[in-house]
Amino acid sequence: MTEFMDVHHNMKGITPADLLAAHNADVAIQDDEHVKFKKAWADPVTGRAFCLSEGPSADAVRRIHERTGHPADEIHEVTVTV
Amino acid sequence: MTEFMDVHHNMKGITPADLLAAHNADVAIQDDEHVKFKKAWADPVTGRAFCLSEGPSADAVRRIHERTGHPADEIHEVTVTV
Protein backbone atom coordinates (compact mmCIF):
# COMPACT_ATOMS: atom_id res chain seq x y z
CA MET A 1 0.00 0.00 0.00
CA THR A 2 1.19 3.47 -0.87
CA GLU A 3 0.16 6.89 0.40
CA PHE A 4 -1.46 9.41 -1.91
CA MET A 5 -2.12 13.11 -1.52
CA ASP A 6 -4.88 14.28 -3.82
CA VAL A 7 -5.79 17.89 -4.39
CA HIS A 8 -9.12 19.52 -5.22
CA HIS A 9 -8.96 23.04 -6.70
CA ASN A 10 -12.46 24.44 -6.54
CA MET A 11 -13.62 24.15 -2.95
CA LYS A 12 -14.03 27.86 -2.13
CA GLY A 13 -16.40 28.36 0.80
CA ILE A 14 -16.19 24.73 1.94
CA THR A 15 -17.53 24.29 5.48
CA PRO A 16 -16.61 21.68 8.10
CA ALA A 17 -19.98 20.00 7.40
CA ASP A 18 -19.25 19.91 3.64
CA LEU A 19 -15.83 18.35 4.14
CA LEU A 20 -17.16 15.82 6.62
CA ALA A 21 -19.98 14.83 4.26
CA ALA A 22 -17.55 14.41 1.34
CA HIS A 23 -15.14 12.41 3.49
CA ASN A 24 -17.90 10.18 4.83
CA ALA A 25 -19.14 9.50 1.28
CA ASP A 26 -15.62 8.40 0.29
CA VAL A 27 -15.19 6.27 3.39
CA ALA A 28 -18.52 4.55 2.80
CA ILE A 29 -17.31 3.02 -0.49
CA GLN A 30 -13.51 3.02 -0.05
CA ASP A 31 -13.39 -0.73 0.63
CA ASP A 32 -14.52 -1.40 -2.95
CA GLU A 33 -11.08 -0.19 -4.08
CA HIS A 34 -9.06 -1.15 -0.99
CA VAL A 35 -8.44 2.53 -0.30
CA LYS A 36 -8.34 4.12 3.14
CA PHE A 37 -8.93 7.87 3.41
CA LYS A 38 -6.96 9.01 6.44
CA LYS A 39 -7.22 12.78 6.72
CA ALA A 40 -8.32 15.87 4.80
CA TRP A 41 -7.52 19.57 5.07
CA ALA A 42 -9.21 22.46 3.27
CA ASP A 43 -8.75 26.19 2.83
CA PRO A 44 -12.17 27.78 2.18
CA VAL A 45 -10.50 30.99 0.99
CA THR A 46 -8.17 29.59 -1.70
CA GLY A 47 -10.51 26.66 -2.38
CA ARG A 48 -7.84 23.99 -2.14
CA ALA A 49 -8.56 20.70 -0.39
CA PHE A 50 -5.97 18.00 0.31
CA CYS A 51 -6.85 14.36 1.03
CA LEU A 52 -4.35 11.88 2.39
CA SER A 53 -5.12 8.25 1.64
CA GLU A 54 -3.54 4.84 1.44
CA GLY A 55 -4.32 2.44 -1.37
CA PRO A 56 -3.12 0.21 -4.16
CA SER A 57 -2.94 2.89 -6.91
CA ALA A 58 -3.76 6.48 -7.84
CA ASP A 59 -6.51 5.13 -10.11
CA ALA A 60 -8.18 3.43 -7.15
CA VAL A 61 -8.25 6.76 -5.27
CA ARG A 62 -9.44 8.55 -8.43
CA ARG A 63 -12.36 6.14 -8.91
CA ILE A 64 -13.63 6.59 -5.34
CA HIS A 65 -13.56 10.40 -5.61
CA GLU A 66 -15.28 10.25 -9.01
CA ARG A 67 -18.07 7.99 -7.78
CA THR A 68 -18.80 10.33 -4.86
CA GLY A 69 -19.02 13.33 -7.15
CA HIS A 70 -15.87 15.24 -6.25
CA PRO A 71 -13.15 14.16 -8.70
CA ALA A 72 -9.58 15.03 -7.73
CA ASP A 73 -7.73 17.62 -9.81
CA GLU A 74 -4.34 16.11 -8.92
CA ILE A 75 -3.23 12.84 -7.33
CA HIS A 76 0.34 12.47 -6.08
CA GLU A 77 1.95 9.25 -4.90
CA VAL A 78 3.80 10.51 -1.85
CA THR A 79 6.46 7.86 -1.43
CA VAL A 80 8.79 10.19 0.50
CA THR A 81 7.70 11.46 3.91
CA VAL A 82 9.14 12.98 7.03
CA MET B 1 -2.39 28.96 15.99
CA THR B 2 -3.63 27.82 12.62
CA GLU B 3 -2.62 24.93 10.40
CA PHE B 4 -1.06 25.57 7.00
CA MET B 5 -0.45 23.26 4.05
CA ASP B 6 2.25 24.62 1.79
CA VAL B 7 3.12 23.20 -1.59
CA HIS B 8 6.40 23.06 -3.49
CA HIS B 9 6.17 22.43 -7.26
CA ASN B 10 9.65 21.60 -8.42
CA MET B 11 10.89 18.72 -6.30
CA LYS B 12 11.28 16.06 -9.00
CA GLY B 13 13.68 13.34 -7.90
CA ILE B 14 13.56 14.31 -4.22
CA THR B 15 14.97 11.55 -2.00
CA PRO B 16 14.13 10.73 1.62
CA ALA B 17 17.50 12.25 2.61
CA ASP B 18 16.70 15.47 0.69
CA LEU B 19 13.31 15.84 2.36
CA LEU B 20 14.72 15.11 5.79
CA ALA B 21 17.51 17.67 5.31
CA ALA B 22 15.02 20.33 4.16
CA HIS B 23 12.67 19.55 7.03
CA ASN B 24 15.49 19.65 9.59
CA ALA B 25 16.66 23.01 8.25
CA ASP B 26 13.14 24.41 8.71
CA VAL B 27 12.79 22.91 12.19
CA ALA B 28 16.13 24.38 13.25
CA ILE B 29 14.86 27.96 12.81
CA GLN B 30 11.09 27.55 13.13
CA ASP B 31 11.01 28.96 16.67
CA ASP B 32 12.08 32.36 15.29
CA GLU B 33 8.60 32.65 13.76
CA HIS B 34 6.65 30.51 16.26
CA VAL B 35 6.02 27.95 13.52
CA LYS B 36 5.98 24.20 14.03
CA PHE B 37 6.53 21.98 10.97
CA LYS B 38 4.61 18.79 11.68
CA LYS B 39 4.83 16.54 8.62
CA ALA B 40 5.86 16.53 4.96
CA TRP B 41 5.02 14.31 1.98
CA ALA B 42 6.64 14.32 -1.45
CA ASP B 43 6.11 12.68 -4.83
CA PRO B 44 9.52 12.43 -6.59
CA VAL B 45 7.77 11.71 -9.91
CA THR B 46 5.40 14.71 -10.10
CA GLY B 47 7.77 16.86 -8.04
CA ARG B 48 5.13 18.06 -5.59
CA ALA B 49 5.93 18.34 -1.89
CA PHE B 50 3.39 19.16 0.81
CA CYS B 51 4.32 20.50 4.26
CA LEU B 52 1.87 20.65 7.14
CA SER B 53 2.67 23.22 9.78
CA GLU B 54 1.12 25.20 12.60
CA GLY B 55 1.88 28.86 13.12
CA PRO B 56 0.63 32.40 13.54
CA SER B 57 0.38 33.29 9.81
CA ALA B 58 1.13 32.18 6.26
CA ASP B 59 3.84 34.85 6.13
CA ALA B 60 5.60 33.26 9.11
CA VAL B 61 5.67 29.91 7.30
CA ARG B 62 6.78 31.64 4.08
CA ARG B 63 9.71 33.36 5.79
CA ILE B 64 11.06 30.11 7.29
CA HIS B 65 10.93 28.31 3.92
CA GLU B 66 12.58 31.29 2.21
CA ARG B 67 15.43 31.48 4.72
CA THR B 68 16.19 27.77 4.29
CA GLY B 69 16.32 28.12 0.51
CA HIS B 70 13.18 26.29 -0.55
CA PRO B 71 10.43 28.92 -0.90
CA ALA B 72 6.87 27.58 -1.03
CA ASP B 73 4.95 27.95 -4.29
CA GLU B 74 1.59 27.95 -2.47
CA ILE B 75 0.55 28.35 1.17
CA HIS B 76 -2.99 27.44 2.22
CA GLU B 77 -4.54 28.14 5.61
CA VAL B 78 -6.33 24.86 6.21
CA THR B 79 -8.97 25.90 8.73
CA VAL B 80 -11.27 22.99 7.84
CA THR B 81 -10.13 19.44 8.57
CA VAL B 82 -11.51 15.97 8.97
Side-chain angles (χ1 to χ4, degrees), chain A residues 1-77:
Chain A
M1 287 293 173
T2 311
E3 276 192 318
F4 297 90
M5 185 75 82
D6 67 75
V7 187
H8 303 257
H9 291 182
N10 299 300
M11 296 284 169
K12 279 191 183 159
I14 190 168
T15 66
D18 293 336
L19 187 64
L20 183 62
H23 181 71
N24 285 346
D26 291 332
V27 167
I29 62 166
Q30 67 184 5
D31 288 354
D32 293 357
E33 298 279 358
H34 309 288
V35 169
K36 182 176 162 58
F37 285 95
K38 300 163 85 168
K39 183 83 189 159
W41 302 263
D43 181 339
V45 177
T46 64
R48 282 289 198 287
F50 304 89
C51 303
L52 182 68
S53 64
E54 204 172 73
S57 69
D59 278 343
V61 175
R62 188 185 318 279
R63 284 191 290 266
I64 297 293
H65 273 337
E66 280 175 357
R67 286 174 55 196
T68 52
H70 42 261
D73 294 292
E74 308 169 27
I75 302 184
H76 303 279
E77 188 171 337

Coordinates of all heavy atoms in Angstrom, one line a residue, chain A residues 1-77:
Chain A
M1 N 0.8 -1.2 0.0 CA 0.0 0.0 0.0 C 0.9 1.3 0.0 O 1.9 1.3 0.7 CB -0.9 0.0 1.2 CG -2.0 -1.0 1.2 SD -3.2 -0.6 -0.1 CE -4.3 -2.1 -0.1
T2 N 0.4 2.2 -0.7 CA 1.2 3.5 -0.9 C 0.3 4.6 -0.4 O -0.9 4.5 -0.4 CB 1.5 3.7 -2.3 OG1 2.1 2.5 -2.9 CG2 2.5 4.8 -2.5
E3 N 0.9 5.7 0.0 CA 0.2 6.9 0.4 C 0.0 7.8 -0.8 O 0.9 7.9 -1.6 CB 0.9 7.7 1.5 CG 0.5 7.1 2.9 CD 1.0 8.0 4.0 OE1 2.1 8.6 3.9 OE2 0.3 8.2 5.0
F4 N -1.2 8.4 -0.9 CA -1.5 9.4 -1.9 C -2.0 10.7 -1.3 O -2.7 10.7 -0.3 CB -2.6 8.9 -2.8 CG -2.1 7.6 -3.6 CD1 -2.3 6.4 -3.0 CD2 -1.4 7.7 -4.8 CE1 -1.9 5.2 -3.7 CE2 -1.0 6.6 -5.4 CZ -1.2 5.3 -4.9
M5 N -1.5 11.8 -1.9 CA -2.1 13.1 -1.5 C -2.8 13.6 -2.8 O -2.2 13.8 -3.8 CB -1.0 14.1 -1.1 CG -1.6 15.4 -0.6 SD -2.3 15.4 1.0 CE -0.8 15.5 2.0
D6 N -4.2 13.7 -2.7 CA -4.9 14.3 -3.8 C -5.3 15.7 -3.5 O -5.5 16.1 -2.3 CB -6.0 13.4 -4.3 CG -7.1 13.2 -3.3 OD1 -7.9 14.2 -3.2 OD2 -7.2 12.1 -2.7
V7 N -5.5 16.5 -4.5 CA -5.8 17.9 -4.4 C -7.0 18.2 -5.2 O -7.2 17.8 -6.3 CB -4.6 18.7 -4.9 CG1 -4.8 20.2 -4.6 CG2 -3.3 18.3 -4.3
H8 N -7.9 19.0 -4.6 CA -9.1 19.5 -5.2 C -8.9 21.0 -5.3 O -8.5 21.7 -4.3 CB -10.4 19.2 -4.4 CG -10.5 17.7 -4.2 ND1 -11.4 17.0 -4.9 CD2 -9.9 16.9 -3.3 CE1 -11.4 15.7 -4.5 NE2 -10.4 15.6 -3.5
H9 N -9.3 21.6 -6.5 CA -9.0 23.0 -6.7 C -10.1 24.0 -6.5 O -9.9 25.2 -6.3 CB -8.5 23.2 -8.1 CG -7.2 22.6 -8.4 ND1 -6.5 22.7 -9.7 CD2 -6.3 21.9 -7.6 CE1 -5.4 22.1 -9.6 NE2 -5.2 21.6 -8.4
N10 N -11.3 23.5 -6.5 CA -12.5 24.4 -6.5 C -13.4 24.3 -5.4 O -14.6 24.0 -5.5 CB -13.2 24.3 -7.9 CG -12.3 24.6 -9.0 OD1 -11.8 25.7 -9.2 ND2 -12.1 23.6 -9.9
M11 N -12.9 24.4 -4.2 CA -13.6 24.2 -3.0 C -13.8 25.4 -2.2 O -14.0 25.4 -0.9 CB -12.9 23.1 -2.1 CG -12.7 21.8 -2.7 SD -14.3 20.9 -2.7 CE -14.0 19.5 -3.8
K12 N -13.8 26.6 -2.8 CA -14.0 27.9 -2.1 C -15.3 27.8 -1.3 O -16.4 27.4 -1.8 CB -14.1 29.0 -3.1 CG -12.7 29.4 -3.5 CD -12.6 30.8 -4.3 CE -11.1 31.0 -4.7 NZ -11.0 31.9 -5.8
G13 N -15.2 28.3 -0.1 CA -16.4 28.4 0.8 C -16.7 27.1 1.5 O -17.7 27.0 2.2
I14 N -15.9 26.0 1.3 CA -16.2 24.7 1.9 C -16.3 24.9 3.5 O -15.5 25.6 4.1 CB -15.1 23.7 1.5 CG1 -15.6 22.3 2.0 CG2 -13.7 24.0 2.1 CD1 -14.7 21.1 1.4
T15 N -17.3 24.2 4.0 CA -17.5 24.3 5.5 C -17.1 23.0 6.1 O -16.9 22.0 5.4 CB -19.0 24.5 5.8 OG1 -19.7 23.3 5.4 CG2 -19.6 25.7 5.1
P16 N -16.9 22.9 7.4 CA -16.6 21.7 8.1 C -17.7 20.6 7.8 O -17.3 19.4 7.6 CB -16.6 22.1 9.6 CG -16.2 23.5 9.6 CD -16.9 24.1 8.4
A17 N -18.9 21.0 7.7 CA -20.0 20.0 7.4 C -19.8 19.5 6.0 O -20.0 18.3 5.7 CB -21.3 20.6 7.6
D18 N -19.5 20.3 5.0 CA -19.2 19.9 3.6 C -18.1 18.9 3.6 O -18.2 17.9 2.9 CB -18.8 21.1 2.8 CG -19.9 22.1 2.6 OD1 -21.1 21.8 2.7 OD2 -19.5 23.3 2.3
L19 N -17.0 19.2 4.2 CA -15.8 18.4 4.1 C -16.1 17.0 4.8 O -15.7 16.0 4.3 CB -14.6 19.0 4.8 CG -13.3 18.2 4.6 CD1 -12.9 18.2 3.2 CD2 -12.2 18.9 5.5
L20 N -16.8 17.1 5.9 CA -17.2 15.8 6.6 C -18.1 15.0 5.7 O -17.9 13.7 5.7 CB -17.8 16.1 8.0 CG -18.2 14.9 8.8 CD1 -16.9 14.1 9.2 CD2 -18.9 15.4 10.1
A21 N -19.1 15.6 5.1 CA -20.0 14.8 4.3 C -19.2 14.2 3.1 O -19.5 13.0 2.7 CB -21.1 15.7 3.7
A22 N -18.3 14.9 2.5 CA -17.5 14.4 1.3 C -16.7 13.3 1.8 O -16.6 12.2 1.2 CB -16.7 15.5 0.7
H23 N -16.0 13.4 2.9 CA -15.1 12.4 3.5 C -15.9 11.2 3.8 O -15.5 10.0 3.5 CB -14.4 13.0 4.7 CG -13.5 12.0 5.4 ND1 -12.3 11.6 4.8 CD2 -13.6 11.3 6.6 CE1 -11.7 10.8 5.6 NE2 -12.5 10.6 6.7
N24 N -17.1 11.3 4.5 CA -17.9 10.2 4.8 C -18.4 9.4 3.6 O -18.5 8.2 3.6 CB -19.1 10.6 5.7 CG -18.6 10.9 7.1 OD1 -17.5 10.6 7.5 ND2 -19.5 11.6 7.9
A25 N -18.7 10.2 2.5 CA -19.1 9.5 1.3 C -18.0 8.6 0.7 O -18.2 7.5 0.2 CB -19.6 10.6 0.3
D26 N -16.8 9.2 0.8 CA -15.6 8.4 0.3 C -15.4 7.2 1.2 O -15.2 6.1 0.6 CB -14.4 9.3 0.3 CG -14.4 10.4 -0.7 OD1 -15.0 10.2 -1.8 OD2 -13.7 11.4 -0.5
V27 N -15.4 7.4 2.5 CA -15.2 6.3 3.4 C -16.2 5.2 3.2 O -15.9 4.0 3.3 CB -15.2 6.8 4.8 CG1 -15.2 5.7 5.9 CG2 -13.9 7.7 5.1
A28 N -17.4 5.5 2.9 CA -18.5 4.5 2.8 C -18.3 3.5 1.7 O -18.7 2.4 1.8 CB -19.9 5.3 2.6
I29 N -17.5 3.9 0.6 CA -17.3 3.0 -0.5 C -15.8 2.7 -0.7 O -15.5 2.0 -1.6 CB -17.9 3.6 -1.8 CG1 -17.2 4.9 -2.2 CG2 -19.4 3.7 -1.7 CD1 -17.6 5.3 -3.7
Q30 N -15.0 3.2 0.2 CA -13.5 3.0 0.0 C -13.1 1.6 -0.1 O -12.1 1.2 -0.8 CB -12.7 3.8 1.0 CG -12.9 3.2 2.4 CD -12.1 4.1 3.5 OE1 -11.6 5.2 3.1 NE2 -12.1 3.7 4.7
D31 N -13.8 0.7 0.6 CA -13.4 -0.7 0.6 C -13.5 -1.4 -0.7 O -12.8 -2.3 -1.0 CB -14.2 -1.5 1.6 CG -13.9 -1.2 3.1 OD1 -12.9 -0.4 3.3 OD2 -14.6 -1.7 4.0
D32 N -14.4 -0.8 -1.6 CA -14.5 -1.4 -2.9 C -13.2 -1.4 -3.7 O -13.0 -2.2 -4.6 CB -15.5 -0.6 -3.8 CG -17.0 -0.7 -3.2 OD1 -17.2 -1.5 -2.3 OD2 -17.9 0.0 -3.8
E33 N -12.4 -0.4 -3.4 CA -11.1 -0.2 -4.1 C -9.9 -0.4 -3.2 O -8.7 -0.1 -3.5 CB -11.0 1.2 -4.7 CG -12.1 1.6 -5.7 CD -11.8 1.0 -7.1 OE1 -10.7 0.4 -7.3 OE2 -12.6 1.2 -8.0
H34 N -10.1 -0.9 -2.0 CA -9.1 -1.2 -1.0 C -8.3 0.1 -0.7 O -7.1 0.1 -0.5 CB -8.1 -2.3 -1.5 CG -8.9 -3.5 -1.9 ND1 -9.4 -4.3 -1.0 CD2 -9.1 -4.0 -3.1 CE1 -10.1 -5.3 -1.7 NE2 -9.9 -5.1 -2.9
V35 N -9.0 1.2 -0.6 CA -8.4 2.5 -0.3 C -8.9 2.9 1.1 O -9.9 2.5 1.6 CB -9.0 3.6 -1.3 CG1 -8.6 5.0 -0.8 CG2 -8.4 3.4 -2.7
K36 N -8.0 3.6 1.8 CA -8.3 4.1 3.1 C -8.1 5.6 3.2 O -6.9 6.0 3.1 CB -7.5 3.4 4.2 CG -7.9 3.8 5.7 CD -7.1 3.0 6.6 CE -7.0 3.6 8.0 NZ -8.3 3.8 8.6
F37 N -9.1 6.4 3.3 CA -8.9 7.9 3.4 C -8.6 8.2 4.9 O -9.4 7.8 5.8 CB -10.2 8.6 2.9 CG -10.3 8.6 1.4 CD1 -11.1 7.7 0.8 CD2 -9.6 9.6 0.7 CE1 -11.1 7.7 -0.6 CE2 -9.6 9.5 -0.7 CZ -10.4 8.6 -1.3
K38 N -7.5 8.8 5.1 CA -7.0 9.0 6.4 C -7.2 10.4 7.0 O -7.5 10.5 8.2 CB -5.4 8.7 6.4 CG -5.1 7.3 6.0 CD -3.6 7.2 5.6 CE -2.8 6.9 6.7 NZ -1.4 6.5 6.3
K39 N -7.2 11.4 6.2 CA -7.2 12.8 6.7 C -7.5 13.7 5.6 O -7.1 13.4 4.4 CB -5.9 13.1 7.4 CG -5.7 14.4 8.0 CD -6.2 14.4 9.4 CE -6.2 15.8 10.0 NZ -7.2 16.0 11.1
A40 N -8.1 14.8 5.8 CA -8.3 15.9 4.8 C -8.2 17.3 5.4 O -8.6 17.4 6.6 CB -9.7 15.7 4.1
W41 N -7.7 18.2 4.6 CA -7.5 19.6 5.1 C -8.0 20.5 4.0 O -7.8 20.2 2.8 CB -6.0 19.9 5.2 CG -5.2 19.1 6.2 CD1 -5.0 19.4 7.5 CD2 -4.6 17.8 5.9 NE1 -4.2 18.4 8.0 CE2 -3.9 17.4 7.1 CE3 -4.5 17.0 4.8 CZ2 -3.2 16.3 7.2 CZ3 -3.8 15.8 4.9 CH2 -3.1 15.5 6.1
A42 N -8.7 21.6 4.3 CA -9.2 22.5 3.3 C -9.1 23.9 3.7 O -9.1 24.3 4.9 CB -10.7 22.1 3.0
D43 N -8.8 24.7 2.7 CA -8.8 26.2 2.8 C -9.9 26.8 2.1 O -10.0 26.8 0.9 CB -7.4 26.7 2.2 CG -7.3 28.2 2.4 OD1 -8.3 28.9 2.6 OD2 -6.1 28.7 2.3
P44 N -11.0 27.3 2.8 CA -12.2 27.8 2.2 C -11.9 29.1 1.4 O -12.7 29.4 0.5 CB -13.1 28.1 3.4 CG -12.5 27.5 4.6 CD -11.0 27.3 4.3
V45 N -10.8 29.7 1.7 CA -10.5 31.0 1.0 C -9.9 30.7 -0.4 O -10.3 31.2 -1.4 CB -9.6 31.9 1.9 CG1 -9.2 33.2 1.1 CG2 -10.3 32.2 3.2
T46 N -8.8 29.9 -0.4 CA -8.2 29.6 -1.7 C -8.9 28.5 -2.4 O -8.7 28.3 -3.7 CB -6.7 29.1 -1.5 OG1 -6.7 27.9 -0.8 CG2 -5.9 30.2 -0.8
G47 N -9.7 27.7 -1.7 CA -10.5 26.7 -2.4 C -9.8 25.4 -2.6 O -10.3 24.5 -3.3
R48 N -8.6 25.2 -2.0 CA -7.8 24.0 -2.1 C -8.2 23.0 -1.0 O -8.4 23.4 0.1 CB -6.3 24.2 -2.0 CG -5.7 24.8 -3.2 CD -5.6 23.7 -4.4 NE -4.6 24.1 -5.3 CZ -4.7 25.1 -6.2 NH1 -5.8 25.8 -6.3 NH2 -3.7 25.4 -7.1
A49 N -8.4 21.8 -1.4 CA -8.6 20.7 -0.4 C -7.5 19.6 -0.7 O -7.2 19.3 -1.8 CB -10.0 20.1 -0.4
F50 N -7.0 19.0 0.4 CA -6.0 18.0 0.3 C -6.5 16.8 1.0 O -6.9 16.9 2.2 CB -4.7 18.5 1.0 CG -4.1 19.8 0.5 CD1 -4.6 21.0 1.0 CD2 -3.3 19.8 -0.6 CE1 -4.1 22.2 0.5 CE2 -2.8 21.0 -1.2 CZ -3.2 22.2 -0.6
C51 N -6.4 15.6 0.4 CA -6.9 14.4 1.0 C -5.7 13.4 1.1 O -5.1 13.1 0.0 CB -8.0 13.7 0.3 SG -9.4 14.7 0.0
L52 N -5.4 12.9 2.2 CA -4.3 11.9 2.4 C -5.0 10.5 2.5 O -5.9 10.3 3.3 CB -3.6 12.2 3.7 CG -2.4 11.2 4.0 CD1 -1.3 11.4 2.9 CD2 -1.9 11.4 5.4
S53 N -4.5 9.6 1.6 CA -5.1 8.2 1.6 C -4.0 7.2 1.5 O -2.9 7.5 1.2 CB -6.1 8.1 0.5 OG -5.5 8.2 -0.8
E54 N -4.4 6.0 1.6 CA -3.5 4.8 1.4 C -4.3 3.9 0.5 O -5.5 3.7 0.7 CB -3.3 4.2 2.8 CG -2.1 3.4 2.9 CD -1.9 2.9 4.4 OE1 -2.7 2.1 4.8 OE2 -1.0 3.5 5.1
G55 N -3.6 3.3 -0.5 CA -4.3 2.4 -1.4 C -3.4 1.8 -2.4 O -2.2 2.1 -2.3
P56 N -3.9 1.0 -3.2 CA -3.1 0.2 -4.2 C -2.6 1.0 -5.4 O -1.6 0.7 -6.0 CB -4.0 -0.9 -4.6 CG -5.4 -0.4 -4.4 CD -5.3 0.5 -3.3
S57 N -3.3 2.1 -5.7 CA -2.9 2.9 -6.9 C -3.7 4.2 -6.9 O -4.7 4.4 -6.3 CB -3.3 2.1 -8.2 OG -4.7 2.1 -8.3
A58 N -3.1 5.2 -7.7 CA -3.8 6.5 -7.8 C -5.1 6.3 -8.5 O -6.1 7.0 -8.2 CB -2.9 7.4 -8.7
D59 N -5.2 5.4 -9.4 CA -6.5 5.1 -10.1 C -7.6 4.7 -9.1 O -8.8 5.0 -9.3 CB -6.4 4.1 -11.2 CG -5.8 4.8 -12.5 OD1 -5.8 6.0 -12.6 OD2 -5.3 4.0 -13.4
A60 N -7.2 3.9 -8.2 CA -8.2 3.4 -7.2 C -8.7 4.6 -6.4 O -9.9 4.8 -6.2 CB -7.5 2.4 -6.2
V61 N -7.8 5.5 -6.0 CA -8.2 6.8 -5.3 C -9.1 7.6 -6.2 O -10.2 8.1 -5.8 CB -7.0 7.6 -4.8 CG1 -7.4 8.9 -4.2 CG2 -6.1 6.8 -3.9
R62 N -8.7 7.7 -7.5 CA -9.4 8.5 -8.4 C -10.9 8.0 -8.6 O -11.8 8.8 -8.6 CB -8.7 8.5 -9.8 CG -9.2 9.4 -10.8 CD -8.5 9.2 -12.2 NE -7.1 9.0 -12.1 CZ -6.2 10.0 -12.0 NH1 -6.6 11.3 -12.0 NH2 -4.9 9.8 -11.9
R63 N -11.0 6.7 -8.7 CA -12.4 6.1 -8.9 C -13.3 6.4 -7.7 O -14.5 6.7 -7.9 CB -12.3 4.6 -9.2 CG -11.7 4.3 -10.6 CD -11.9 2.8 -10.9 NE -11.0 2.0 -10.2 CZ -9.8 1.6 -10.6 NH1 -9.3 2.0 -11.8 NH2 -9.0 0.8 -9.8
I64 N -12.8 6.3 -6.5 CA -13.6 6.6 -5.3 C -14.1 8.0 -5.4 O -15.3 8.3 -5.3 CB -12.9 6.3 -4.0 CG1 -12.5 4.8 -3.9 CG2 -13.7 6.8 -2.8 CD1 -13.7 3.9 -3.8
H65 N -13.2 9.0 -5.6 CA -13.6 10.4 -5.6 C -14.5 10.7 -6.8 O -15.4 11.6 -6.6 CB -12.3 11.3 -5.7 CG -11.7 11.6 -4.4 ND1 -12.3 11.6 -3.2 CD2 -10.4 12.0 -4.2 CE1 -11.5 12.0 -2.3 NE2 -10.3 12.2 -2.8
E66 N -14.4 10.0 -7.9 CA -15.3 10.3 -9.0 C -16.7 9.8 -8.7 O -17.7 10.4 -9.0 CB -14.7 9.6 -10.3 CG -13.7 10.4 -10.9 CD -13.0 9.7 -12.1 OE1 -13.4 8.5 -12.4 OE2 -12.1 10.3 -12.7
R67 N -16.7 8.6 -8.1 CA -18.1 8.0 -7.8 C -18.8 8.8 -6.8 O -20.1 8.8 -6.8 CB -17.9 6.6 -7.3 CG -17.5 5.6 -8.4 CD -17.2 4.2 -7.8 NE -18.3 3.7 -7.0 CZ -18.2 2.6 -6.1 NH1 -17.0 2.0 -6.0 NH2 -19.2 2.2 -5.4
T68 N -18.1 9.5 -5.9 CA -18.8 10.3 -4.9 C -19.0 11.8 -5.3 O -19.5 12.6 -4.5 CB -18.0 10.3 -3.5 OG1 -16.7 10.6 -3.8 CG2 -18.1 8.9 -2.9
G69 N -18.7 12.0 -6.6 CA -19.0 13.3 -7.1 C -18.1 14.5 -6.9 O -18.4 15.6 -7.2
H70 N -16.9 14.2 -6.4 CA -15.9 15.2 -6.2 C -14.5 14.7 -6.8 O -13.6 14.4 -6.0 CB -15.8 15.7 -4.8 CG -15.8 14.7 -3.8 ND1 -16.9 14.3 -3.0 CD2 -14.8 13.8 -3.3 CE1 -16.6 13.4 -2.2 NE2 -15.4 13.0 -2.4
P71 N -14.4 14.7 -8.1 CA -13.2 14.2 -8.7 C -11.9 15.0 -8.3 O -12.1 16.2 -8.1 CB -13.4 14.3 -10.2 CG -14.6 15.2 -10.4 CD -15.4 15.0 -9.1
A72 N -10.8 14.3 -8.1 CA -9.6 15.0 -7.7 C -9.0 15.7 -8.9 O -9.0 15.2 -10.0 CB -8.6 14.0 -7.2
D73 N -8.4 16.9 -8.7 CA -7.7 17.6 -9.8 C -6.3 17.1 -10.0 O -5.7 17.3 -11.0 CB -7.8 19.1 -9.5 CG -9.2 19.7 -9.6 OD1 -9.8 19.7 -10.7 OD2 -9.7 20.0 -8.6
E74 N -5.7 16.7 -8.9 CA -4.3 16.1 -8.9 C -4.3 14.9 -8.0 O -4.9 15.0 -6.9 CB -3.3 17.1 -8.4 CG -3.3 18.5 -9.0 CD -2.5 19.5 -8.2 OE1 -1.5 19.0 -7.5 OE2 -2.8 20.7 -8.2
I75 N -3.5 13.9 -8.3 CA -3.2 12.8 -7.3 C -1.7 12.6 -7.4 O -1.2 12.3 -8.4 CB -4.0 11.5 -7.7 CG1 -5.5 11.8 -7.7 CG2 -3.7 10.5 -6.6 CD1 -6.4 10.6 -8.0
H76 N -1.1 12.7 -6.2 CA 0.3 12.5 -6.1 C 0.6 11.3 -5.2 O 0.0 11.1 -4.1 CB 1.0 13.7 -5.5 CG 0.7 15.0 -6.3 ND1 1.4 15.3 -7.4 CD2 -0.2 15.9 -6.2 CE1 0.9 16.4 -7.9 NE2 -0.1 16.8 -7.2
E77 N 1.5 10.4 -5.7 CA 2.0 9.2 -4.9 C 3.1 9.7 -4.0 O 4.2 9.9 -4.5 CB 2.4 8.2 -5.9 CG 2.7 6.8 -5.2 CD 2.9 5.7 -6.3 OE1 2.4 5.8 -7.4 OE2 3.5 4.7 -5.9

